[in-house]
Amino acid sequence: MNTNMSDYRQCETTKKFVCLDAQRFIKLNAVSAVVFLLVGGIAAILLALTRWQTVHLLDAEWFYRILTAHGLNMLIFWILFIEMAILYFVSTSLLNSRLFSKGLGWISFALMIVGAVMTNGIIFAGEADVLMTSYLPLVAHPLFYLGIILFAVGALVGVGNFFGTIYIARRDKTYKGSMPLVTFGATAAAIIAVVALLHGAVALVPTFTYSLGLTPEPDPGWYRLIWWGLGHMSQQVNVCAMVAVWYFLATMTTGAKAPNEAVCRSAFVLYVLFINLASAHHLLVDPGVGAEWKIWNTSYAMYLAVLASMIHGFTVPASVEIGMRLKGYTRGLFDWLLKAPWKNPGFSAFFLSLVIFGFIGGITGVTLGTQQINIIAHNTLRIPGHFHATVVGGTTLAFMGLTYYVIPLIFQKDYVGRSWARVQPYLFASGIVLMSIGMSFAGSEGVARRTWDIDAAGIYGATTHMFLGMVGIGGILAFCGVLLFVVLAVATLFFGESNEGRPMKCWGVPEVIADLSKTDGSVATADDNAEHDHDHKHDTRGTMVIVVVFLLAFAVYYFANWGALADVWWVR
Amino acid sequence: MSIEPPPKNWFQAPTGHERVWLGMAIVWCLIMSLMMPLWHFKGKQNSTGESYIVEPQDFLERTEQFVDANKVGTKEGRPVAEPPPGGDAYLVARMYDWYPVLQLREGETYRLHVSSMDIQHGFSLQPMNMNFHVMPGYDHVLTVTPTKSGTYTIVCNEFCGIGHHAMIGKLIVK
């Protein structure tokens, strides 16, 4: 540490140094994130209660308006604000470094807030009923595009500040050797974010100038290709950040130890290298691009990124298994999992997120993104059924779990309503699972996404309506989960007991029943990979069973979809 | 410990279960990669993206010519057109209508041209649940062979404005 110690405080829980400048921006971004989550959540319940055809709450105009707001607030504003908070944290505290620039932090935050408020304002004013994708030739008010552009520039500045911080940490040698795995994963997310945001600029700047009447209309096919360079790649930012958070929460809650960091890190590198053409998934039944282009850009690029996710799907639970076995939970295949801290919301949110992301989101995503299978899935409710399992049941739930540590560690307030907090991840997860499954089945019945009403077609029967009822009920449960999350966070900020000068009130971590590692198992040091605990370090039998079950489920779903495809009309 | 710098010798080959899983995952990814080219040559359902640049007005004119030459009746106020087997069929997508009603024969193959007059639409054939994207300026050619007779509904499944849900068309297979 080469700067004034008064710019830091030492965390009583983790013994890490917290840069106070970074802490301020973590707080600002995290609070903003929760506000936009609430806006997006209120929008979500209105949409769920409208798609539940029996309730059919909103009128058509407001349905599309609220749908536009929901997409942007959830997928862009909530997630990017909290990811900014994550970037500030992992580049400073975990690297023992100070923040690169306070000024850039302010510029980034100001641009993001102005952009997000501007975009919301113009949507609720009814001047941008174009949905999140704003597919040309639909045109919104220029301020809609300007708001998103400002937000994106702000995010880019924030990412620049992150790279600046990494640079000074390396230059000043604030940490030894390689950066921690969590920071490495977040760095991968930041690299992808730069590429994604540049795609956004290429798609949206000419659209903005077109909406002002200054330039000719961009080609709608070109727009789709480039826009999804933003739209899909930013989901890979979320995946990277989520996996980094999984590793973080696994470490904090169970003392997890990665079986092999080279493998984990290589998987992050695969994300960076092979996600860049994923916008192809959205163009699989489009005109303008040929079969060769579609197949190549789906499989070549995608399946190496899928491989990366399948690797994390093993290494993350394996890390928990190894950590738990080193603490003495060695009996049988699953003692380590049964004795995991299921009442700790950090752990339950993380593990539920892992399961929902993998078993529902991952399997459906790869299958729907298969070139030909997309014929029986494109633009049906199967697609939101997939991505609510990845980005909501996966990413959002993981970030909720993170919040149960961010508020005590960074805001230095112990949670109020702790028993409610222990329930919250389960409530939210059950709602999202119900909703995702309802959407997927309704989509298989041919129900379109982004449609206010399905009864006008007069072709959907009772089964379809039952699945839409599942969407509604799941939506209500998930909304209660969001509301509980926000209420607890806000109540804690105002009324939570300060934990300054002492460690945070522990959510509960598994006790060490037989110390099989050199260290105490909670705060390990870098040199704890001695050979004597070799056996427990590589005993991942339980995880192996889980991933084999996963692969079987994957194969069944995948080939069942080929079977369904074979039943439809011939088409070339 | 993923929140600490790793030990110096962290770069090592995977061992044990992890190595086995890595192998399984790579094989599975390869199988999935090969399924698509395999289906492209052997399967009957493919999206080749065959398309041509077209001005919306020209596409509408071609459609009107097609309807005039092949009209066999009317259904719900819209003309019904039956293209010759192996021939071209035209379908216009516009806010909030599919035009005309097509009548096809089971087991025959047609070149179905779909394009939009205004903004983007989604061609979603129900209850078959086959979905293709429709854009203005692109004449999207689907070489289709109906395998089952019946009356089908075409739903628009890309948001196209306030009347999107009511953009319903019909397609008859005899």
Side-chain angles (χ1 to χ4, degrees):
Chain A
M1 203 144 312
N2 64 342
T3 37
N4 191 346
M5 288 305 289
S6 66
D7 298 338
Y8 294 85
R9 68 178 174 87
Q10 188 173 20
C11 175
E12 297 292 337
T13 310
T14 60
K15 305 298 171 204
K16 300 224 172 270
F17 287 95
V18 180
C19 165
L20 295 182
D21 284 334
Q23 176 174 284
R24 180 187 304 117
F25 292 115
I26 294 171
K27 287 182 177 178
L28 284 172
N29 282 285
V31 168
S32 311
V34 171
V35 170
F36 288 105
L37 176 70
L38 183 62
V39 176
I42 292 169
I45 188 64
L46 296 174
L47 297 175
L49 291 179
T50 306
R51 291 293 331 233
W52 186 358
Q53 194 76 31
T54 319
V55 180
H56 215 217
L57 183 65
L58 298 174
D59 65 22
E61 190 180 26
W62 273 97
F63 174 79
Y64 295 120
R65 193 163 296 157
I66 294 290
L67 185 53
T68 309
H70 172 67
L72 283 160
N73 279 295
M74 289 305 214
L75 217 42
I76 308 282
F77 303 146
W78 139 251
I79 283 195
L80 273 164
F81 271 117
I82 194 115
E83 282 170 353
M84 281 299 143
I86 292 171
L87 290 183
Y88 281 114
F89 170 70
V90 300
S91 61
T92 54
S93 288
L94 294 189
L95 297 185
N96 210 17
S97 174
R98 69 174 175 87
L99 183 65
F100 174 67
S101 162
K102 193 160 80 171
L104 286 182
W106 279 116
I107 292 170
S108 159
F109 180 71
L111 284 171
M112 286 172 74
I113 279 288
V114 169
V117 170
M118 185 184 287
T119 304
N120 268 302
I122 208 72
I123 291 171
F124 285 107
E127 298 287 334
D129 297 337
V130 293
L131 306 194
M132 178 178 147
T133 44
S134 56
Y135 284 142
L136 286 166
L138 279 177
V139 191
H141 191 283
L143 289 184
F144 174 80
Y145 306 105
L146 184 63
I148 299 174
I149 291 167
L150 289 180
F151 183 88
V153 172
L156 263 178
V157 171
V159 172
N161 210 5
F162 169 81
F163 286 120
T165 307
I166 301 269
Y167 166 72
I168 56 169
R170 288 202 79 85
R171 183 195 64 194
D172 300 343
K173 297 189 173 58
T174 59
Y175 62 100
K176 284 191 188 122
S178 307
M179 61 172 70
L181 181 58
V182 171
T183 312
F184 189 87
T187 306
I191 293 169
I192 302 171
V194 172
V195 187
L197 292 167
L198 290 177
H199 276 84
V202 173
L204 288 177
V205 170
T207 311
F208 170 58
T209 54
Y210 165 63
S211 72
L212 288 170
L214 300 175
T215 50
E217 184 193 327
D219 179 79
W222 173 87
Y223 177 89
R224 281 168 67 78
L225 175 68
I226 308 296
W227 193 91
W228 280 110
L230 164 74
H232 202 103
M233 233 182 279
S234 54
Q235 302 322 306
Q236 219 64 16
V237 178
N238 298 339
V239 172
C240 264
M242 171 189 71
V243 175
V245 167
W246 284 348
Y247 283 115
F248 176 79
L249 286 173
T251 304
M252 297 298 287
T253 57
T254 65
K257 287 179 172 51
N260 181 327
E261 289 222 357
V263 174
C264 305
R265 284 163 198 253
S266 305
F268 280 120
V269 173
L270 285 178
Y271 281 144
V272 175
L273 293 179
F274 293 108
I275 200 57
N276 50 346
L277 295 167
S279 79
H281 302 175
H282 301 264
L283 279 57
L284 294 179
V285 293
D286 266 33
V289 282
E292 300 81 0
W293 186 90
K294 291 171 181 175
I295 290 176
W296 173 255
N297 287 315
T298 298
S299 67
Y300 155 73
M302 177 177 170
Y303 294 151
L304 285 168
V306 170
L307 179 65
S309 287
M310 289 178 76
I311 291 172
H312 290 304
F314 176 90
T315 56
V316 172
S319 307
V320 175
E321 181 167 5
I322 291 168
M324 290 292 285
R325 284 184 188 274
L326 289 175
K327 287 184 172 185
Y329 298 92
T330 54
R331 269 194 303 131
L333 280 176
F334 292 117
D335 196 39
W336 61 275
L337 190 57
L338 294 173
K339 302 284 168 55
W342 291 101
K343 289 181 180 171
N344 177 335
F347 178 82
S348 61
F350 140 63
F351 210 87
L352 290 169
S353 156
L354 172 68
V355 171
I356 296 172
F357 184 90
F359 276 85
I360 306 180
I363 289 177
T364 57
V366 178
T367 306
L368 304 183
T370 302
Q371 196 239 330
Q372 295 94 341
I373 292 175
N374 195 251
I375 293 171
I376 55 170
H378 176 74
N379 271 359
T380 67
L381 262 185
R382 297 184 76 183
I383 306 298
H386 148 69
F387 69 70
H388 281 85
T390 52
V391 84
V392 189
T395 308
T396 292
L397 184 53
F399 291 173
M400 284 175 168
L402 180 68
T403 308
Y404 291 112
Y405 280 85
V406 167
I407 289 183
L409 294 177
I410 299 294
F411 290 82
Q412 294 179 279
K413 299 268 190 165
D414 279 330
Y415 256 83
V416 298
R418 290 171 69 84
S419 43
W420 286 103
R422 296 182 197 281
V423 177
Q424 189 272 333
Y426 295 96
L427 178 64
F428 184 71
S430 60
I432 289 300
V433 167
L434 201 59
M435 199 179 77
S436 279
I437 293 175
M439 282 178 161
S440 291
F441 279 110
S444 298
E445 299 275 315
V447 175
R449 65 186 290 196
R450 299 176 150 191
T451 295
W452 167 67
D453 173 81
I454 62 159
D455 283 346
I459 51 170
Y460 299 106
T463 322
T464 308
H465 283 83
M466 187 197 74
F467 290 132
L468 291 174
M470 268 174 82
V471 173
I473 292 166
I476 292 171
L477 288 175
F479 177 68
C480 292
V482 169
L483 213 56
L484 185 54
F485 170 78
V486 174
V487 166
L488 288 171
V490 173
T492 303
L493 291 185
F494 283 108
F495 309 114
E497 192 187 334
S498 167
N499 62 18
E500 280 178 48
R502 62 171 171 82
M504 69 177 266
K505 208 183 215 179
C506 184
W507 287 108
V509 293
E511 283 172 35
V512 178
I513 52 175
D515 189 1
L516 300 172
S517 72
K518 249 183 178 173
T519 56
D520 66 8
S522 59
V523 182
T525 55
D527 60 355
D528 68 343
N529 68 333
E531 287 301 311
H532 79 277
D533 56 21
H534 185 270
D535 286 340
H536 298 292
K537 273 228 132 124
H538 291 91
D539 188 354
T540 49
R541 287 174 288 159
T543 301
M544 198 62 200
V545 172
I546 295 173
V547 293
V548 168
V549 169
F550 167 79
L551 188 55
L552 290 175
F554 198 160
V556 167
Y557 186 82
Y558 180 75
F559 285 112
N561 271 277
W562 281 112
L565 177 68
D567 285 342
V568 304
W569 291 4
W570 296 4
V571 59
R572 283 204 82 77
Chain B
M1 247 356 211
S2 52
I3 61 172
E4 305 287 342
K8 267 211 167 63
N9 57 349
W10 62 268
F11 199 84
Q12 288 174 357
T15 54
H17 291 142
E18 189 170 38
R19 192 188 180 102
V20 174
W21 173 247
L22 208 53
M24 290 167 76
I26 289 171
V27 169
W28 175 240
C29 287
L30 282 174
I31 290 173
M32 291 195 299
S33 295
L34 291 175
M35 273 305 290
M36 287 182 288
L38 184 71
W39 197 273
H40 181 75
F41 293 112
K42 300 283 184 194
K44 298 297 184 191
Q45 296 82 11
N46 282 286
S47 171
T48 56
E50 181 182 348
S51 49
Y52 305 92
I53 292 170
V54 68
E55 284 298 321
Q57 205 49 45
D58 294 344
F59 191 83
L60 185 62
E61 273 170 33
R62 277 183 231 168
T63 307
E64 294 293 7
Q65 283 168 13
F66 160 75
V67 171
D68 288 343
N70 297 286
K71 188 172 170 182
V72 292
T74 51
K75 185 179 169 69
E76 291 161 14
R78 267 171 281 173
V80 179
E82 180 173 338
D88 292 278
Y90 288 84
L91 183 65
V92 160
R94 61 191 172 197
M95 297 147 104
Y96 300 103
D97 179 32
W98 298 93
Y99 175 89
V101 174
L102 294 171
Q103 182 166 301
L104 309 177
R105 301 259 163 198
E106 184 184 333
E108 299 292 347
T109 301
Y110 304 88
R111 284 172 58 78
L112 172 59
H113 299 253
V114 196
S115 191
S116 166
M117 292 301 103
D118 34 56
I119 60 176
Q120 301 191 22
H121 298 285
F123 172 89
S124 180
L125 187 73
Q126 299 300 340
M128 214 24 52
N129 201 14
M130 296 177 76
N131 306 278
F132 292 94
H133 208 75
V134 184
M135 271 191 288
Y138 290 78
D139 172 9
H140 193 174
V141 185
L142 305 169
T143 307
V144 294
T145 311
T147 52
K148 214 177 146 197
S149 61
T151 299
Y152 294 86
T153 301
I154 306 168
V155 173
C156 178
N157 71 2
E158 183 57 79
F159 169 67
C160 61
I162 196 81
H164 167 49
H165 64 281
M167 183 169 163
I168 310 290
K170 290 288 174 194
L171 192 153
I172 301 156
V173 178
K174 288 207 161 166

